[in-house]
Amino acid sequence: MKLAYWMYAGPAHIGTLRIASSFKNVHAIMHAPLGDDYFNVMRSMLERERDFTPVTASIVDRNVLARGSQEKVVDNITRKDQEERPDLIVLTPTCTSSILQEDLQNFVDRAQLEAKGDVLLADVNHYRVNELQAADRTLQQIVQFYTEKARKKGELPDGKTATPSVNIIGVTTLGFHNQHDCMELKKLMRDLGITVNAVIPEGASVHDLKHLSQAWFNLIPYREIGLSTAKYLHEQFGTPFVDITPIGVVETARCIRMIQKLLNEQGATVDYEPFIDEQTRFVSQAAWFSRSIDCQNLTGKKAVVFGDNTHAAAITKILTREMGIHVVLSGTYCKYDAEWFREQVSEYCDDVLISDDHGAIADAIARLEPAAIFGTQMERHVGKRLNIPCGVIAAPIHIQNFPIGYRPFVGYEGTNQVVDLIYNSFTLGMEDHLLEIFGGHDTKEVITKGVSAESDLNWTKEAQAELNKVPGFVRGKVKRNTEKFARDRGLTEISLEVMYAAKEAVGA
Amino acid sequence: MTLADTQPQALNFECETGNYHTFCPISCVAWLYQKIEDSFFLVIGTKTCGYFLQNAMGVMIFAEPRYAMAELEEGDISAQLNDYEELKRLCEQIKRDRNPSVIVWIGTCTTEIIKMDLEGLAPKLEAEIGIPIVVARANGLDYAFTQGEDTVLAAMAQRCPSQAPVAETEKEERNAISKLLNFGRKKEDMVEQESEYVDHPPLVLFGSLPDPVVTNLTLELKKQGIKVSGWLPAKRFTELPVLEEGSYVCGVNPFLSRTATTLMRRRKCKLIGAPFPIGPDGTRAWIEKICSVFGIEPKGLAEREAQIWTGLEDYVNLIRGKSVFFMGDNLLEISLARFLIRCGMTVPEIGIPYMDKRYQGAELALLEKTCQEMGVPLPTIVEKPDNYNQIQRINQLQPDLVITGMAHANPLEARGINTKWSVEFTFAQIHGFTNARDVLELVTRPLRRNHALKDLGWDTLVKEEARLS
């Protein structure tokens, strides 16, 4: 048992659901107790999704506990198959169902006999993998399923596309800025003259999966999701892959050079150097920013970075290599992939922290007193408590991290966005500091006096106590309205009764 | 659907598949840890439970909450680790760091399935570490959302003292001091205060409400000369109310049937079955019922109710004649529907997770009576609803408002259907005369918002034909 208040990566089934609901016309059925379908709320709220999330639960209740699911799961699958005609139904085990040890594969096999669509059991162990690992695994599983199915039917296409093409793998629902990143990557590919063969799983149809083999290479923008699929496709079709995340000027260039190498090895003759040069020096503002005097002011400032592997590593490199900021600590919660992270950031920071305990990272921040933090929503709150500004660079995230405006992290527009994020974090910190030195905004006292003029009314002890229970930010308003109500009626004492009467009166 | 029927004779109860969306009952820790200030809630479950709490509670999680997960690992599931030792280790840590007056263990689906004997372990550990441990099995196998509070309060009811602690000498001493401190106050004042109450057997109210609402309802009863001896729960665990045999108890929320049962059977209290004080009609009926049990003639209630309705007129105008569909997820549905029907709305369907016809008997009777008085068809009450079927029915009925969970709210809005997020009713102050306006503020918000946008011509925001599934 572990005492835990907060977790960075969710449970395994969230990963499976993220993959399933990213595809078009794929439905997930969770084998879960009432209330475990919280995923639907998250997707509907955070992504502001217009469509019903294609996830339902086959409820595990007392009866199931006593007698087993029996026909229930099979019925739920076949019912959903008829109602929505999905191409694929993914039966998703949860932590609860995995200890019941029912033979879910058997349910899937039986349901498959009746269902028009395909039925698959997500193969993830709840006590061994987290959300990210499960997502990676499920994506690979679905790709493998449809590759093998097409092979059996002899529907696998031969060879590659005529001109260079790519599969972008790992863009998912509820992924940090994934939608914007996807658009930016497509634009980058267009600029490089590369056709996008497929983007999976987001917005893809499972019927397209058999065409994956036609791409010249696969691009894996995120370390956490998609690598297993890329390796599988490499094994099956020899398709090479690029797993350099194009976040930051240097890494974007490295990613493009890697693409260039892979394409030229397959007989293309592309030279992306002029493109990289033009973009770096004149299109992206990041390189210029790093020379400007704004950025000079940031030199040697201390920062702490924490997040998932992809983003924490990329931001660490940007801070150190592209802005001259001193990263005192860089950390990740992806413990299962710690070695990769160490290797990526070791030369760019003083210290590496591998932990999924938010207390450990909070203590480190308090100890190191950086000028800015780049982390998850949890680090943002640590920053609030310690009065240190924080830029959010990775999940777990809140609704404000699903902006409507265009905010990619990858590619050349991404470099601009990241500059703003970093620079704004630091200047706000400076401003705060200056305010403190000069004793805050001097208008504060005056404003307060003007608005809350001394009260001529007498508040009884109970009423005063009640008033103090009103949350601070509306207390003044409640006080003013109540006093106005009392004055209008010629009352001189405000009791509890008067308070309630004021609230009940219209407009008070 | 019985919508086409003209006037059904009685309420129509149905039961569907139970494939519906609601919050897990462990969510009750969110409001209970704030209510019971000296408590610590330990949820014994898995990452899934933790992830739900963390996300459902939004920013609250960052405020050093007095709750935590005891996250079960593979070793716990396969019994390689000893439950007792593990829990002892964690509870000692909690005692060290927070020193609470009570630790509440929330049992989850996993502890049920692996049959962890929390009720058996608790008294042993309690004796060893010297902090009361209350066990509540608030799991998704058995309960929905607000029923979590019910399981906690039912467990707490067992901990209420059965008689007031009498320490005469100490009382004298304290009186001496308080006399010194309050020398300005005359003794007659205090006697007079006591005599404001009618002589009646002790009354304890149950249900967790924000403190301002507690004060408000207590005061409403005081106006009738009724003294509230205590509330379950109180602000602190150490202040749980005295429950004597024969005490009267009355619920303030519709989802507290286990607590009511426990109070009656285990504590030998007498339950006052009343409608719930939600809406001015409900509040009046609630007070009247309590008065009638104590043989008190209620004073000024009709005027008070009328006055509140006058104040609500601007809101009532917005919803009169409109229809509202409850998908059902928090058990407040019957009371809210009854209030809204009194406001002039029609209700084709009331979805509800669980319907205790005995505990909610008076509320159901008031609902029926309200429908008759307002001349509207009786609603169908659908227990354990099926959300998929409900969405088909919503599609067919096109109600003016759907009260639903967040999973369906945005997709319905995109299809031009007004929605109100049901969870807000659980967290807002909705009880008593004073808060009736707040309920309507919530109900009318989508209508007011969409009224403001009505000429813009973008009601339906999905591309395909409004596919409702």
Side-chain angles (χ1 to χ4, degrees):
Chain A
M1 262 178 228
K2 198 169 79 177
L3 196 62
Y5 297 87
W6 169 265
M7 67 183 83
Y8 284 100
H13 71 267
I14 299 287
T16 296
L17 297 180
R18 276 177 59 187
I19 296 300
S21 60
S22 294
F23 278 109
K24 251 191 331 218
N25 212 24
V26 170
H27 200 100
I29 294 184
M30 303 167 68
H31 188 234
L34 198 62
D36 271 5
D37 58 353
Y38 191 72
F39 177 80
N40 297 31
V41 177
M42 287 177 57
R43 185 155 183 270
S44 175
M45 281 189 73
L46 298 177
E47 297 260 27
R48 289 182 205 88
E49 184 54 57
R50 299 171 197 219
D51 279 313
F52 291 96
T53 300
V55 174
T56 40
S58 174
I59 302 285
V60 175
D61 57 13
R62 266 299 148 192
N63 290 329
V64 169
L65 219 53
R67 312 175 305 134
S69 292
Q70 299 191 356
E71 300 304 313
K72 200 170 180 179
V73 177
V74 178
D75 286 349
N76 276 316
I77 295 174
T78 49
R79 178 185 158 185
K80 197 45 73 182
D81 182 64
Q82 282 160 13
E83 282 168 356
E84 315 230 349
R85 294 263 165 247
D87 297 322
L88 169 68
I89 291 177
V90 180
L91 181 60
T92 310
T94 58
C95 59
T96 307
S97 74
S98 68
I99 39 178
L100 284 176
Q101 302 199 321
E102 284 192 277
D103 189 357
L104 296 180
Q105 187 59 53
N106 173 38
F107 294 151
V108 163
D109 294 342
R110 278 170 51 204
Q112 185 65 84
L113 296 176
E114 246 184 86
K116 291 255 186 334
D118 297 309
V119 189
L120 204 58
L121 173 66
D123 173 27
V124 289
N125 181 325
H126 268 261
Y127 293 91
R128 300 206 177 147
V129 296
N130 69 18
E131 169 187 353
L132 300 168
Q133 294 163 288
D136 187 53
R137 168 85 193 100
T138 304
L139 182 58
Q140 189 263 335
Q141 194 190 353
I142 293 175
V143 167
Q144 181 172 352
F145 179 82
Y146 281 99
T147 305
E148 281 168 10
K149 192 177 169 188
R151 183 172 285 147
K152 236 178 262 165
K153 286 184 165 177
E155 286 176 353
L156 274 184
D158 288 328
K160 309 283 176 197
T161 55
T163 54
S165 62
V166 61
N167 299 319
I168 301 173
I169 299 177
V171 181
T172 64
T173 187
L174 291 173
F176 183 68
H177 292 240
N178 274 19
Q179 310 283 357
H180 307 301
D181 283 356
C182 184
M183 280 171 80
E184 187 63 19
L185 288 174
K186 282 182 181 167
K187 180 175 171 294
L188 182 64
M189 293 305 127
R190 200 173 56 227
D191 290 349
L192 296 173
I194 297 169
T195 315
V196 176
N197 185 55
V199 176
I200 62 166
E202 186 63 43
S205 156
V206 291
H207 300 308
D208 302 337
L209 293 177
K210 57 173 175 277
H211 300 297
L212 289 179
S213 63
Q214 289 183 293
W216 288 37
F217 73 102
N218 292 317
L219 176 61
I220 317 300
Y222 310 113
R223 173 76 191 169
E224 291 78 15
I225 301 175
L227 213 52
S228 301
T229 307
K231 285 178 181 161
Y232 171 77
L233 292 171
H234 180 67
E235 229 169 70
Q236 296 290 314
F237 308 107
T239 317
F241 60 89
V242 176
D243 60 351
I244 300 165
T245 303
I247 297 182
V249 178
V250 178
E251 290 297 289
T252 303
R254 207 159 73 86
C255 176
I256 295 173
R257 289 196 180 105
M258 182 72 184
I259 293 171
Q260 172 180 293
K261 180 169 164 276
L262 293 182
L263 294 183
N264 287 340
E265 277 171 7
Q266 296 177 63
T269 46
V270 291
D271 178 11
Y272 293 140
E273 290 303 334
F275 174 78
I276 294 173
D277 184 61
E278 168 78 8
Q279 290 285 330
T280 303
R281 290 199 294 142
F282 304 109
V283 178
S284 158
Q285 298 295 315
W288 157 234
F289 173 79
S290 63
R291 287 304 297 248
S292 72
I293 50 169
D294 288 335
C295 193
Q296 228 176 68
N297 284 336
L298 300 182
T299 309
K301 288 213 171 298
K302 288 200 292 182
V304 167
V305 182
F306 192 80
D308 60 6
N309 269 357
T310 304
H311 293 91
I315 297 295
T316 303
K317 290 178 193 170
I318 292 175
L319 290 170
T320 307
R321 202 161 51 179
E322 298 178 22
M323 294 186 172
I325 290 162
H326 180 189
V327 178
V328 285
L329 181 76
S330 176
T332 179
Y333 54 79
C334 298
K335 279 161 77 178
Y336 62 94
D337 197 16
E339 210 171 306
W340 179 87
F341 187 77
R342 267 184 214 288
E343 190 192 298
Q344 293 290 310
V345 302
S346 291
E347 58 176 306
Y348 301 110
C349 60
D350 297 352
D351 221 341
V352 176
L353 176 75
I354 311 286
S355 173
D356 54 6
D357 171 11
H358 75 280
I361 178 74
D363 289 346
I365 291 171
R367 182 164 42 81
L368 294 165
E369 290 187 12
I373 311 165
F374 298 94
T376 70
Q377 280 290 339
M378 187 40 124
E379 283 68 50
R380 191 172 71 83
H381 281 265
V382 172
K384 254 186 180 169
R385 221 177 299 158
L386 299 172
N387 264 324
I388 303 171
C390 177
V392 176
I393 56 146
I397 38 186
H398 285 171
I399 189 134
Q400 66 263 42
N401 303 114
F402 288 87
I404 290 170
Y406 189 52
R407 301 260 194 285
F409 267 59
V410 302
Y412 287 107
E413 178 54 27
T415 62
N416 294 337
Q417 297 293 336
V418 173
V419 162
D420 279 343
L421 179 78
I422 293 174
Y423 186 64
N424 291 345
S425 303
F426 279 106
T427 35
L428 288 176
M430 280 289 284
E431 198 177 325
D432 233 28
H433 195 56
L434 289 174
L435 282 174
E436 205 167 280
I437 291 174
F438 296 115
H441 289 288
D442 59 355
T443 49
K444 205 168 170 184
E445 202 53 30
V446 181
I447 289 176
T448 332
K449 260 186 192 149
V451 180
S452 82
E454 283 300 296
S455 170
D456 53 332
L457 293 161
N458 186 20
W459 287 69
T460 66
K461 220 169 66 198
E462 294 79 20
Q464 187 63 50
E466 192 71 11
L467 182 66
N468 289 339
K469 284 182 204 155
V470 176
F473 60 98
V474 286
R475 196 179 298 147
K477 185 177 163 219
V478 170
K479 183 164 188 259
R480 279 197 302 281
N481 287 344
T482 310
E483 291 186 346
K484 180 171 176 290
F485 175 87
R487 256 184 228 112
D488 290 351
R489 283 157 187 75
L491 302 168
T492 53
E493 190 181 71
I494 295 177
S495 61
L496 274 180
E497 298 276 307
V498 176
M499 272 187 87
Y500 292 133
K503 192 180 178 199
E504 286 157 19
V506 186
Chain B
M1 281 306 301
T2 51
L3 190 77
D5 299 359
T6 45
Q7 288 272 324
Q9 292 307 300
L11 288 166
N12 179 21
F13 293 91
E14 280 176 16
C15 186
E16 281 190 310
T17 62
N19 281 335
Y20 64 103
H21 166 78
T22 184
F23 273 16
C24 174
I26 60 172
S27 52
C28 68
V29 306
W31 63 88
L32 288 176
Y33 94 80
Q34 293 190 334
K35 175 70 193 178
I36 309 169
E37 290 170 3
D38 54 352
S39 62
F40 191 98
F41 284 79
L42 184 67
V43 181
I44 306 164
T46 61
K47 257 185 183 314
T48 305
C49 314
Y51 196 66
F52 164 69
L53 280 179
Q54 169 175 327
N55 285 295
M57 279 173 225
V59 291
M60 269 199 265
I61 199 95
F62 300 108
E64 298 252 338
R66 289 186 318 281
Y67 71 80
M69 292 291 310
E71 194 184 309
L72 300 168
E73 292 166 299
E74 208 167 4
D76 298 302
I77 307 297
S78 52
Q80 284 162 341
L81 296 166
N82 180 299
D83 297 340
Y84 183 78
E85 290 304 323
E86 291 295 300
L87 284 167
K88 186 178 155 195
R89 185 168 57 81
L90 300 192
C91 288
E92 276 172 343
Q93 190 183 334
I94 292 166
K95 184 183 176 185
R96 209 166 48 236
D97 296 348
R98 305 295 181 96
N99 195 28
S101 311
V102 60
I103 297 177
V104 183
W105 285 353
I106 303 286
T108 62
C109 304
T110 310
T111 56
E112 287 297 312
I113 295 172
I114 64 174
K115 299 196 165 42
M116 194 185 278
D117 181 21
L118 297 178
E119 276 95 347
L121 298 173
K124 261 166 68 187
L125 191 54
E126 178 171 326
E128 197 165 343
I129 66 169
I131 294 180
I133 295 174
V134 171
V135 180
R137 301 180 179 195
N139 61 69
L141 294 168
D142 300 303
Y143 305 109
F145 196 10
T146 49
Q147 288 180 290
E149 174 181 321
D150 193 23
T151 62
V152 173
L153 295 189
M156 291 254 176
Q158 310 272 43
R159 300 297 183 120
C160 292
S162 45
Q163 56 184 173
V166 272
E168 277 308 320
T169 51
E170 197 200 354
K171 224 178 192 174
E172 260 316 302
E173 251 172 63
R174 207 186 277 153
N175 269 353
I177 297 169
S178 64
K179 253 183 223 159
L180 271 176
L181 290 173
N182 302 334
F183 61 92
R185 246 197 187 169
K186 288 183 203 105
K187 204 181 174 196
E188 293 88 287
D189 275 355
M190 304 196 182
V191 178
E192 197 191 344
Q193 259 178 23
E194 278 301 312
S195 70
E196 285 173 39
Y197 296 110
V198 178
D199 190 29
H200 63 82
L203 170 69
V204 171
L205 301 179
F206 58 94
S208 164
L209 293 177
D211 292 337
V213 183
V214 167
T215 317
N216 191 220
L217 288 180
T218 308
L219 212 66
E220 292 291 353
L221 288 175
K222 188 180 168 192
K223 282 183 191 159
Q224 306 298 334
I226 295 167
K227 185 177 181 185
V228 178
S229 314
W231 281 78
L232 173 67
K235 264 169 88 91
R236 304 176 65 80
F237 180 74
T238 49
E239 293 163 7
L240 279 179
V242 175
L243 289 174
E244 294 168 38
E245 192 171 327
S247 287
Y248 280 84
V249 291
C250 186
V252 296
N253 266 324
F255 44 78
L256 298 171
S257 49
R258 278 175 69 92
T259 309
T261 311
T262 308
L263 289 168
M264 286 191 291
R265 296 203 184 141
R266 309 290 291 265
R267 303 306 305 258
K268 310 282 179 234
C269 294
K270 292 177 182 157
L271 178 72
I272 303 177
F276 301 99
I278 293 168
D281 50 339
T283 309
R284 178 182 172 184
W286 182 71
I287 298 173
E288 278 177 346
K289 183 64 193 283
I290 296 174
C291 284
S292 80
V293 169
F294 293 142
I296 296 168
E297 184 65 35
K299 299 182 294 261
L301 272 183
E303 297 77 22
R304 183 113 169 87
E305 192 196 346
Q307 179 202 344
I308 296 291
W309 281 113
T310 315
L312 298 178
E313 191 54 28
D314 52 343
Y315 276 155
V316 172
N317 274 334
L318 293 172
I319 51 175
R320 194 173 283 134
K322 296 213 157 63
S323 60
V324 54
F325 188 108
F326 286 86
M327 285 186 80
D329 73 345
N330 60 14
L331 283 95
L332 294 171
E333 292 88 2
I334 303 288
S335 309
L336 287 172
R338 178 259 304 150
F339 172 40
L340 294 180
I341 290 170
R342 177 60 73 185
C343 290
M345 295 189 90
T346 54
V347 183
E349 173 164 337
I350 307 176
I352 187 167
Y354 168 73
M355 182 72 245
D356 185 334
K357 287 187 198 165
R358 276 181 66 195
Y359 176 63
Q360 293 222 44
E363 184 62 85
L364 287 169
L366 183 59
L367 171 68
E368 213 169 324
K369 184 169 152 245
T370 305
C371 288
Q372 274 147 12
E373 286 175 7
M374 299 303 289
V376 296
L378 286 156
T380 303
I381 295 171
V382 181
E383 205 179 345
K384 289 173 171 288
D386 185 295
N387 281 169
Y388 181 86
N389 296 344
Q390 284 185 313
I391 286 166
Q392 311 303 316
R393 294 197 288 269
I394 287 169
N395 194 16
Q396 207 181 352
L397 294 163
Q398 293 288 313
D400 297 302
L401 182 67
V402 174
I403 295 184
T404 180
M406 209 33 136
H408 298 109
N410 269 339
L412 284 171
E413 288 282 352
R415 284 158 182 78
I417 299 217
N418 296 320
T419 62
K420 181 77 220 126
W421 188 29
S422 53
V423 173
E424 285 194 67
F425 293 101
T426 330
F427 293 119
Q429 302 188 359
I430 60 170
H431 292 76
F433 287 123
T434 313
N435 292 315
R437 208 176 159 78
D438 292 33
V439 181
L440 293 189
E441 167 73 25
L442 289 177
V443 171
T444 58
R445 192 176 296 155
L447 303 172
R448 285 179 285 130
R449 194 271 313 264
N450 291 344
H451 182 77
L453 311 180
K454 75 176 187 320
D455 297 326
L456 296 173
W458 56 60
D459 293 344
T460 312
L461 293 150
V462 278
K463 267 194 185 151
E464 307 150 54
E465 82 287 5
R467 209 169 65 111
L468 270 159
S469 58

